[in-house]
Every structure is written in C-alpha cells, then in structure tokens.
Amino acid sequence: MSFGRRLIQEDVSFRVRRGEIFTVMGGSGSGKSTLLRHMIGLLRPCAGRIRYGGVDYWESSTEQQDALRRRFGVLFQGGALFSAMTLYENVALPLQLYTEANPVETRALVRFKLGLVGLRGYEEFYPSEISGGMRKRAGLARALVLDPELLFLDEPSAGLDPVSSRRLDDLILQLRDGTGASIVVISHELPSLFAIGDNGIFLDGDSKRPIAHGSPKYLLEHCDHPRVQAFLRREPVRDAGTHDKVVQDR
Amino acid sequence: MGSQATRLAAAARFPPGWTVRAETGAVVLALSGDWTLHSGLSGIPQAAAAEIELAPGHSLRIDTEAVTDWDSALPAFLLAMAERCRDQGWILDACSLPLNLRTVLKMADELSPPASARAPRPAPLLRRVGEHTLRHAGSVGEAVSLLGQVVLACGRLLQGKATYYRADAWLVLQAAGADALPIVGLVNVLVGAIIAFVGSVQLLQFGAGVLLADGVAIATVREMAAVITAVVLSGRTGAAFAAQLATMQGNEEIDALRVMGVPEVEFLVLPRVLALAVMTPLLYLYACALGIFGGFAVATGMLDLSLTAYLERTVGALNSDQFLLGASKSFVFGILVAMCGCYYGLRAGRNAAAVGEATTAAVVAGIVGVISVDAVFAVCAHALGI
Ligand SMILES: Nc1ncnc2c1ncn2[C@@H]1O[C@H](COP(=O)(O)OP(=O)(O)O)[C@@H](O)[C@H]1O
Ligand SMILES: [Mg+2]
C-alpha cells in the first residue's frame, strides 16, 4: 500500500473467515483506513492481491466487482452521510437502488435499522442537525440496510459515549451471530476490541508493516512486542526505540 | 438468518405466505416461506397486518415456525407490528419467537425517541411567504453590513493590524489575476472581432469603412472590455469564492476561525475583495488591448485596412477619460463580484447542495449586479459628458 512513492504498509497478509470479527489495530496514521479502502475496492494496492471467496477483486470484470461490492456494507470514518438527504433518505437509498421493496416495506426496514442503532425518531433530521456520534450510528444503519455479508467499520465507536459504545459492541456481536456476516472493525477502543475481536492484525506505523496477528486478547497475553503491549495496555512505549536513542545520543 | 446463498438468489425457493387464526383470547399470525428482501414480499406484510382484528387487551401471537429463511425484512415487519399493537392496545406475545429474532427486536425497539426528536412540520403557505419576504429584507441589511465590515477591515489593513494569511492572499491574487488571463483574453478577442464584423457590414453600406476602427475602439474601451471581463470573472472567480467559503462553512472551518478570534471578514473576505479590486482593472487594460486586436484582425480581413491606418484611427478615437471610465467601472465590478461570491459563500448552509446554491446565487447576483451598475455608469458618464 502506498500513495505515489510514499510507502504506507507492506507485507500485509491476512484472511478473514466467514462469521468472524476481524479487528485492525494500530496507531493513528498507521494506514488502517487506507487498508480498508484497499479492501473495499476504492484503492488498488500497488502490489499483491485481494480475494473474496477465491475471486480476485482487481482481476475481475467491472460487473463482477459491482456484484461483489453490493455484498459489502461500509461505515466510513466520518460517517459519509449524504448531507442533502435526511437520515431516512440516506438509509433508504440502498433499498431504493437495489431492491424492489415497496414504500411501506422500505419505511419499516429503515425504522428497524435506525432503531437498531438507537436513532428512531430522527428520520427527518439532516446530517448537519445531529451530533458526530449520531452521524456515525446513522452511517452504520445505512451500511446495514442491505444485510451485507461483509461489513467494514472504520472506528465505529469513535465519538460515542461509553453506553452507546457498549451497545454498539452488542449490536456487532448480534449481527455476526444473526447473519453470519464477517465483520472487519478498525478500532482504538480497548474494551470494545477485547469484547468483540476474534482475530486481528496490528499495523505498525514506524516499521511500515504489520507486527502482530491474532485476537486482541491473545495479543495482550502472548505478544511481547513493546508497541503492541503499549497499545493494548494503554501505556507509554517502554523500549529504547529510535526516538529515545536520538535523545540519548545527544 | 438463513444461508447467504439462498438470500442472494433472485428467486425465492419458498414464496412467503401468512395465515391468521383465532384462538381463545388471542389471534395467531402464522408466517411461512422466505421472508427476505429478495423473495418478493411486495405488499404481503401490510395485507397480513390489515387482516388482524382484535379487541384491545387481547394478545397477538406471531408464529414463525414455518418461516424457511429470513433477513431484516422479517424483524422490520415485526417491529412495525409491535408499534401497531402498542397503538391499538393489544399485547404482542413474542415468547414464541426464536431467541435471536427477539434480541434484534428488543434492540431496535428500546430507546424510544424523545418527543423533541421529531422534526418540525412544514409551516403553512402564508407563513412561509411571510418568512421568505422577511428573510429577503434582512439579507439586504446583511449585505450592506458585510460591505461595512470590509471597509472597516480595509482600514485595519492600512493600519497594519488586519489578520490575514499571506500565502492564502497570494494564492487568491494569482487565481483571480494571472490564472484568468487565457479565458479573459480569448473572450475579449472574440467580442472585439464580433463588433468589428457586425460593424463593418453596416458601415460598408455607407462607404464609411474607415470608421470601423473608431467604433471598435470606443465600444471596447468604454463598455465591452469592462463588462465582459467582469462577467467572466463572476463565473470564474466569484463562483470559486462562493464554493470555497461555502465548503469551509460546511467543514466548520469558519467556526474554527471565529473561535481562534480571527474575524472571517479580515481573513477571508478582505483578501478576496482586494484581489479582485486590484486585478479587475488590470485585466480590463489587457482586455482592451485584445479586444482592439480582435477588431483589427477582422478589419484587415474584410476591409483591407493597414495596421498603421487602423492604429491611427484607434488612437484618435480614444482619450484618457474613456480609459479612466472603463478602469473605474472595472474597479467597482471587481469589488461587486468578489462581494457577491463571499457574501453567498459565508451565508451558505452546511450541506453539499448548499455549496451549489451559494455558487449559483453568487454568479447570478454578480452578473445582474455588473449589468445594473454598468447602466448607472452609462447615465453618469453621459451627465458628465465623458
Ligand atoms: N489520499 C492520500 N494521499 C496521500 N497520503 C495519504 C492519503 N490518505 C492517507 N494518507 C497517508 O496514509 C497514512 C495512513 O493514513 P490512514 O490510513 O488514514 O491512517 P489511520 O490508520 O489513522 O486510519 C497517513 O500517513 C496519511 O498521511
Ligand atoms: Mg483512519
């Protein structure tokens, strides 16, 4: 993964199984959102392959890519709601585009999805009239509306209060158990990582490669890389890393 | 929910269905088949719901045993049923539902909205008309106040106290001036050529072809160069200002500036207004030269006038007053166009459509303003005998 000649991450290799909650961890700016953009087909990786059930995304035809993408639900980091539409219209859009649901069914489905994320009653609000955390949840409702098989969530709990964040974890687990969907979650929220992560990858911004694979719980107990430990225990990095050395040399 | 493979298939394996049967003190709604988005429910949930007749206080049991496959369509329907039960005073008996269905339903049903969460209903027509009128009346005041703020900011700039960002000011100056050269040049050459062409056809009828140079020179310097340049700048630079400020508004960038204690008029509006105030007269001079050149090109083609003869007549027809008139017009037009762009940009709403509306409003107001002010200038110039 790189932008022009600027390398972001290399040697990234992992597999997400059906019905698994896969967490992408790493410091801010380490390339998590970029990895997500590669996974959902917005950015072509400069080397390597991305396969969905054996189908190579970038090698397939445009129609195949469209069909694959229709099975994704994506929550972007900023919510990415359409600002000129109300929450109702935002969530209803995928239904109107890709299903034959009649207006009454659409209405029932939208109310159900908004209810799932705790936003019932906010149908007629515009994105600029609600808070950042609510925008995030509305974005999640839109991502969920077609019952995707693969759900990508970029920092879903950023901007949420602890109670809503906990509720969101329950919702994610419920979705996985109910629909058998695979869910890729980018998160910094430690309690939530430990609560939901079945598997994961840790991207390191300094060495520009993943430095650990495994579920957050497993990594906490078995990975002794100082930066992973610092991240998962919320402590300062305890090693003579490059930065400290520079200071000592002086 | 059922297997993914069946859900993706366009045709359902078991068509969805329903039956209602009465038991003692309760009604059972039994659902069967595939209740999925792609199974062609078309209207079934409403039909099923309409069939139910119950006395208040009685319970409705929903039986999903015969459902072969379901996705969100089923809980969405059940949620709507739950709401209906509440409205009618029925008791929804959810015990017979599978556990996971019950959990999703509970999640979707909790956190009922606070009463204040409902958006306001649209106001009656008369009231909307009134509010619209008042808003328009108010916006005149706002525009005048923005002009006043710009003048005050100008004063602070002269005292060296204004806060602005030099790099941004340079960029604006460049975008408004140098970057506009090609398009302003092209349009003015064409306008000069058109005047010459139309003029030559008329003048040749009287055998007065030599007067063509006078006509082109006066039309270009007094009117066309200034007006055409201002119109092009309105569509190009004024629109860019409006879009830029409206986008900043949407990103909360302008709020951030205010919180930092930076007056947005000094930081954003002043550099833009000054840039166009300086650049439009310069572009006007450039436009005059190219307009006259365009006229000359056509004149040599149609009348075979020589360059010297053409230039001689041109210089004879013009005087410094005319250039002064055109340049001062351009100065005013520049300020007007920049003010329109900034004004509509700053008062834009906070969504993507608002950016488009702001840009349209800025361009329309800019062009109408330029033509109207030009008419005022024409009357004044006549009165002054220029
Ligand atoms: N469109 C872009 N062009 C160039 N560099 C980018 C772009 N988007 C992100 N980057 C760079 O990629 C790195 C990783 O960004 P990102 O994936 O957003 O980080 P995060 O892990 O916080 O989500 C950052 O250093 C950022 O500067
Ligand atoms: Mg990110």
Side-chain angles (χ1 to χ4, degrees):
Chain A
M1 306 162 22
S2 69
F3 288 103
R5 298 188 49 205
R6 181 156 160 244
L7 179 71
I8 305 295
Q9 284 279 329
E10 60 184 341
D11 265 352
V12 186
S13 167
F14 60 89
R15 171 195 287 266
V16 182
R17 273 179 284 270
R18 173 159 294 172
E20 179 174 82
I21 298 180
F22 189 91
T23 54
V24 180
M25 296 162 276
S28 175
S30 57
K32 302 181 299 297
S33 298
T34 310
L35 177 62
L36 181 102
R37 292 168 72 80
H38 284 305
M39 285 196 272
I40 58 182
L42 289 181
L43 269 179
R44 191 175 187 139
C46 52
R49 271 194 300 230
I50 296 175
R51 272 184 303 222
Y52 291 97
V55 183
D56 190 320
Y57 183 87
W58 291 106
E59 294 299 312
S60 35
S61 65
T62 320
E63 294 89 62
Q64 273 176 313
Q65 290 186 349
D66 284 346
L68 265 176
R69 274 213 288 248
R70 214 162 290 166
R71 288 153 59 183
F72 299 171
V74 183
L75 166 62
F76 289 92
Q77 194 161 6
L81 296 173
F82 302 115
S83 56
M85 300 184 186
T86 61
L87 293 198
Y88 179 87
E89 289 163 344
N90 262 286
V91 180
L93 185 69
L95 285 173
Q96 287 159 354
L97 291 180
Y98 296 122
T99 70
E100 275 121 51
N102 66 27
V104 182
E105 285 156 18
T106 305
R107 186 159 181 80
L109 268 163
V110 173
R111 285 174 65 84
F112 168 59
K113 298 292 175 177
L114 282 174
L116 275 183
V117 297
L119 281 179
R120 210 133 63 84
Y122 289 92
E123 283 91 351
E124 302 308 322
F125 280 65
Y126 284 92
S128 56
E129 297 167 347
I130 59 176
S131 80
M134 289 160 83
R135 257 174 255 164
K136 218 54 188 281
R137 284 186 277 154
L140 179 61
R142 190 179 67 189
L144 292 180
V145 79
L146 289 179
D147 288 322
E149 287 169 54
L150 251 169
L151 194 57
F152 297 93
L153 310 176
D154 195 347
E155 302 195 14
S157 47
L160 296 191
D161 59 281
V163 179
S164 313
S165 167
R166 172 66 218 277
R167 219 182 100 87
L168 188 74
D169 291 347
D170 291 345
L171 177 62
I172 292 174
L173 287 171
Q174 165 63 39
L175 282 169
R176 192 268 310 265
D177 297 338
T179 64
S182 311
I183 306 181
V184 176
V185 185
I186 295 179
S187 182
H188 298 294
E189 187 100 343
L190 294 175
S192 139
L193 281 173
F194 293 127
I196 62 176
D198 298 323
N199 196 357
I201 190 169
F202 191 100
L203 302 185
D204 183 40
D206 292 345
S207 56
K208 302 207 181 301
R209 56 181 65 236
I211 51 177
H213 291 261
S215 80
K217 271 198 209 111
Y218 172 86
L219 292 182
L220 181 69
E221 282 156 22
H222 296 101
C223 175
D224 37 312
H225 195 290
R227 280 199 287 271
V228 177
Q229 284 299 322
F231 181 95
L232 292 175
R233 293 184 192 275
R234 209 162 175 268
E235 285 169 354
V237 183
R238 284 171 313 184
D239 71 333
T242 43
H243 179 68
D244 290 342
K245 264 191 197 142
V246 172
V247 176
Q248 283 163 6
D249 285 349
R250 277 188 199 153
Chain B
M1 297 179 202
S3 75
Q4 303 288 333
T6 39
R7 249 203 298 131
L8 282 172
R13 286 182 307 173
F14 303 104
W18 53 277
T19 51
V20 178
R21 62 172 194 273
E23 289 181 357
T24 43
V27 164
V28 180
L29 173 64
L31 310 178
S32 63
D34 291 348
W35 279 65
T36 67
L37 269 176
H38 300 283
S39 63
L41 284 175
S42 63
I44 290 183
Q46 298 90 271
E51 189 90 343
I52 297 163
E53 277 177 35
L54 259 181
H58 284 209
S59 62
L60 171 70
R61 204 169 83 225
I62 294 177
D63 179 4
T64 55
E65 231 149 64
V67 170
T68 42
D69 189 12
W70 55 276
D71 62 11
S72 293
L74 182 58
F77 163 65
L78 293 181
L79 185 69
M81 285 304 294
E83 278 172 0
R84 195 176 144 98
C85 285
R86 257 203 301 275
D87 290 347
Q88 307 272 349
W90 304 337
I91 301 159
L92 183 73
D93 178 2
C95 300
S96 52
L97 293 180
L99 180 67
N100 53 357
L101 198 49
R102 245 182 315 164
T103 328
V104 252
L105 265 186
K106 200 165 139 277
M107 288 191 100
D109 209 21
E110 68 193 10
L111 293 180
S112 282
S116 60
R118 309 241 171 244
R121 302 261 96 219
L125 178 68
L126 200 60
R127 181 162 168 181
R128 285 213 302 275
V129 172
E131 279 173 353
H132 207 74
T133 317
L134 286 179
R135 232 189 351 259
H136 266 284
S139 71
V140 175
E142 277 174 41
V144 173
S145 120
L146 182 66
L147 186 63
Q149 284 175 312
V150 171
V151 173
L152 289 181
C154 238
R156 291 177 57 83
L157 181 71
L158 290 180
Q159 293 173 345
K161 281 199 262 172
T163 331
Y164 65 97
Y165 194 54
R166 198 155 296 170
D168 180 52
W170 268 117
L171 273 182
V172 170
L173 210 57
Q174 189 186 340
D179 294 352
L181 284 176
I183 180 79
V184 168
L186 175 70
V187 172
N188 278 290
V189 168
L190 290 177
V191 169
I194 292 166
I195 295 173
F197 185 74
V198 174
S200 65
V201 172
Q202 299 301 319
L203 289 174
L204 279 179
Q205 291 179 355
F206 306 105
V210 273
L211 290 179
L212 182 63
D214 304 51
V216 169
I218 290 174
T220 303
V221 172
R222 283 185 71 116
E223 288 296 335
M224 293 327 255
V227 172
I228 295 294
T229 304
V231 167
V232 169
L233 285 185
S234 179
R236 195 185 172 279
T237 317
F241 288 173
Q244 206 176 4
L245 297 196
T247 311
M248 290 181 78
Q249 183 75 266
N251 272 343
E252 302 184 336
E253 290 174 50
I254 292 180
D255 298 341
L257 278 180
R258 280 191 197 139
V259 171
M260 287 183 214
V262 180
E264 71 269 19
V265 173
E266 279 175 26
F267 196 84
L268 297 171
V269 181
L270 187 63
R272 288 174 169 73
V273 172
L274 287 186
L276 276 193
V278 172
M279 283 304 172
T280 320
L282 294 181
L283 284 172
Y284 156 76
L285 290 180
Y286 164 77
C288 286
L290 286 179
I292 290 172
F293 168 76
F296 166 73
V298 170
T300 43
M302 299 200 43
L303 307 172
D304 40 63
L305 279 176
S306 73
L307 174 61
T308 31
Y310 191 88
L311 276 185
E312 215 165 286
R313 290 226 58 106
T314 301
V315 171
L318 297 174
N319 58 39
S320 60
D321 278 356
Q322 279 158 348
F323 275 108
L324 218 55
L325 174 68
S328 47
K329 271 206 252 196
S330 290
F331 175 73
V332 175
F333 291 165
I335 293 177
L336 183 77
V337 165
M339 290 289 296
C340 283
C342 293
Y343 172 71
Y344 285 103
L346 279 181
R347 67 200 292 271
R350 291 171 184 264
N351 60 46
V355 177
E357 281 159 20
T359 313
T360 313
V363 173
V364 170
I367 292 177
V368 172
V370 164
I371 308 268
S372 319
V373 171
D374 190 46
V376 175
F377 265 103
V379 174
C380 293
H382 178 72
L384 291 172
I386 298 173

PDB file of all heavy atoms in Angstrom, chain B residues 244-255:
ATOM      1  N   GLN B 244     -15.789  27.935  -2.337  1.00  0.00           N
ATOM      2  CA  GLN B 244     -14.751  27.718  -1.336  1.00  0.00           C
ATOM      3  C   GLN B 244     -15.261  28.061   0.067  1.00  0.00           C
ATOM      4  O   GLN B 244     -15.140  27.264   0.999  1.00  0.00           O
ATOM      5  CB  GLN B 244     -13.591  28.629  -1.696  1.00  0.00           C
ATOM      6  CG  GLN B 244     -12.263  28.158  -1.208  1.00  0.00           C
ATOM      7  CD  GLN B 244     -11.173  29.084  -1.698  1.00  0.00           C
ATOM      8  OE1 GLN B 244     -11.439  30.108  -2.344  1.00  0.00           O
ATOM      9  NE2 GLN B 244      -9.950  28.731  -1.392  1.00  0.00           N
ATOM     10  N   LEU B 245     -15.855  29.238   0.192  1.00  0.00           N
ATOM     11  CA  LEU B 245     -16.323  29.642   1.523  1.00  0.00           C
ATOM     12  C   LEU B 245     -17.477  28.760   1.988  1.00  0.00           C
ATOM     13  O   LEU B 245     -17.560  28.426   3.171  1.00  0.00           O
ATOM     14  CB  LEU B 245     -16.748  31.117   1.522  1.00  0.00           C
ATOM     15  CG  LEU B 245     -15.649  32.135   1.213  1.00  0.00           C
ATOM     16  CD1 LEU B 245     -16.078  33.521   1.628  1.00  0.00           C
ATOM     17  CD2 LEU B 245     -14.350  31.792   1.910  1.00  0.00           C
ATOM     18  N   ALA B 246     -18.343  28.364   1.057  1.00  0.00           N
ATOM     19  CA  ALA B 246     -19.463  27.512   1.462  1.00  0.00           C
ATOM     20  C   ALA B 246     -18.955  26.165   1.938  1.00  0.00           C
ATOM     21  O   ALA B 246     -19.454  25.600   2.921  1.00  0.00           O
ATOM     22  CB  ALA B 246     -20.438  27.330   0.306  1.00  0.00           C
ATOM     23  N   THR B 247     -17.947  25.627   1.285  1.00  0.00           N
ATOM     24  CA  THR B 247     -17.378  24.348   1.726  1.00  0.00           C
ATOM     25  C   THR B 247     -16.731  24.497   3.098  1.00  0.00           C
ATOM     26  O   THR B 247     -16.871  23.637   3.961  1.00  0.00           O
ATOM     27  CB  THR B 247     -16.346  23.846   0.704  1.00  0.00           C
ATOM     28  OG1 THR B 247     -16.934  23.913  -0.582  1.00  0.00           O
ATOM     29  CG2 THR B 247     -15.928  22.433   1.002  1.00  0.00           C
ATOM     30  N   MET B 248     -16.030  25.617   3.279  1.00  0.00           N
ATOM     31  CA  MET B 248     -15.415  25.862   4.591  1.00  0.00           C
ATOM     32  C   MET B 248     -16.492  25.945   5.664  1.00  0.00           C
ATOM     33  O   MET B 248     -16.315  25.460   6.781  1.00  0.00           O
ATOM     34  CB  MET B 248     -14.617  27.160   4.571  1.00  0.00           C
ATOM     35  CG  MET B 248     -13.363  27.074   3.734  1.00  0.00           C
ATOM     36  SD  MET B 248     -12.449  28.617   3.760  1.00  0.00           S
ATOM     37  CE  MET B 248     -11.643  28.509   5.339  1.00  0.00           C
ATOM     38  N   GLN B 249     -17.601  26.577   5.309  1.00  0.00           N
ATOM     39  CA  GLN B 249     -18.718  26.677   6.252  1.00  0.00           C
ATOM     40  C   GLN B 249     -19.181  25.277   6.657  1.00  0.00           C
ATOM     41  O   GLN B 249     -19.358  24.986   7.831  1.00  0.00           O
ATOM     42  CB  GLN B 249     -19.858  27.439   5.564  1.00  0.00           C
ATOM     43  CG  GLN B 249     -21.055  27.704   6.393  1.00  0.00           C
ATOM     44  CD  GLN B 249     -20.799  28.813   7.391  1.00  0.00           C
ATOM     45  OE1 GLN B 249     -20.425  28.533   8.528  1.00  0.00           O
ATOM     46  NE2 GLN B 249     -20.967  30.048   6.969  1.00  0.00           N
ATOM     47  N   GLY B 250     -19.328  24.393   5.659  1.00  0.00           N
ATOM     48  CA  GLY B 250     -19.790  23.035   5.925  1.00  0.00           C
ATOM     49  C   GLY B 250     -18.821  22.247   6.781  1.00  0.00           C
ATOM     50  O   GLY B 250     -19.208  21.377   7.545  1.00  0.00           O
ATOM     51  N   ASN B 251     -17.519  22.551   6.646  1.00  0.00           N
ATOM     52  CA  ASN B 251     -16.495  21.824   7.412  1.00  0.00           C
ATOM     53  C   ASN B 251     -16.250  22.394   8.789  1.00  0.00           C
ATOM     54  O   ASN B 251     -15.281  22.004   9.438  1.00  0.00           O
ATOM     55  CB  ASN B 251     -15.159  21.905   6.667  1.00  0.00           C
ATOM     56  CG  ASN B 251     -15.010  20.811   5.676  1.00  0.00           C
ATOM     57  OD1 ASN B 251     -15.726  19.838   5.743  1.00  0.00           O
ATOM     58  ND2 ASN B 251     -14.084  20.968   4.773  1.00  0.00           N
ATOM     59  N   GLU B 252     -17.046  23.374   9.166  1.00  0.00           N
ATOM     60  CA  GLU B 252     -16.851  24.072  10.441  1.00  0.00           C
ATOM     61  C   GLU B 252     -15.532  24.833  10.467  1.00  0.00           C
ATOM     62  O   GLU B 252     -15.029  25.183  11.521  1.00  0.00           O
ATOM     63  CB  GLU B 252     -16.902  23.096  11.623  1.00  0.00           C
ATOM     64  CG  GLU B 252     -18.205  22.315  11.696  1.00  0.00           C
ATOM     65  CD  GLU B 252     -18.304  21.423  12.917  1.00  0.00           C
ATOM     66  OE1 GLU B 252     -17.277  21.045  13.458  1.00  0.00           O
ATOM     67  OE2 GLU B 252     -19.450  21.111  13.306  1.00  0.00           O
ATOM     68  N   GLU B 253     -14.925  25.104   9.290  1.00  0.00           N
ATOM     69  CA  GLU B 253     -13.651  25.827   9.297  1.00  0.00           C
ATOM     70  C   GLU B 253     -13.860  27.274   9.717  1.00  0.00           C
ATOM     71  O   GLU B 253     -13.012  27.874  10.380  1.00  0.00           O
ATOM     72  CB  GLU B 253     -13.018  25.794   7.902  1.00  0.00           C
ATOM     73  CG  GLU B 253     -12.510  24.419   7.521  1.00  0.00           C
ATOM     74  CD  GLU B 253     -12.027  24.368   6.085  1.00  0.00           C
ATOM     75  OE1 GLU B 253     -11.236  25.237   5.694  1.00  0.00           O
ATOM     76  OE2 GLU B 253     -12.452  23.468   5.352  1.00  0.00           O
ATOM     77  N   ILE B 254     -15.006  27.842   9.294  1.00  0.00           N
ATOM     78  CA  ILE B 254     -15.255  29.244   9.628  1.00  0.00           C
ATOM     79  C   ILE B 254     -15.533  29.387  11.115  1.00  0.00           C
ATOM     80  O   ILE B 254     -15.075  30.335  11.757  1.00  0.00           O
ATOM     81  CB  ILE B 254     -16.386  29.787   8.736  1.00  0.00           C
ATOM     82  CG1 ILE B 254     -15.846  29.851   7.302  1.00  0.00           C
ATOM     83  CG2 ILE B 254     -16.867  31.144   9.201  1.00  0.00           C
ATOM     84  CD1 ILE B 254     -16.781  30.354   6.283  1.00  0.00           C
ATOM     85  N   ASP B 255     -16.223  28.384  11.684  1.00  0.00           N
ATOM     86  CA  ASP B 255     -16.424  28.394  13.135  1.00  0.00           C
ATOM     87  C   ASP B 255     -15.072  28.342  13.847  1.00  0.00           C
ATOM     88  O   ASP B 255     -14.849  29.042  14.836  1.00  0.00           O
ATOM     89  CB  ASP B 255     -17.270  27.185  13.566  1.00  0.00           C
ATOM     90  CG  ASP B 255     -18.655  27.219  12.948  1.00  0.00           C
ATOM     91  OD1 ASP B 255     -19.053  28.319  12.517  1.00  0.00           O
ATOM     92  OD2 ASP B 255     -19.313  26.183  12.885  1.00  0.00           O
TER      93      ASP B 255
END
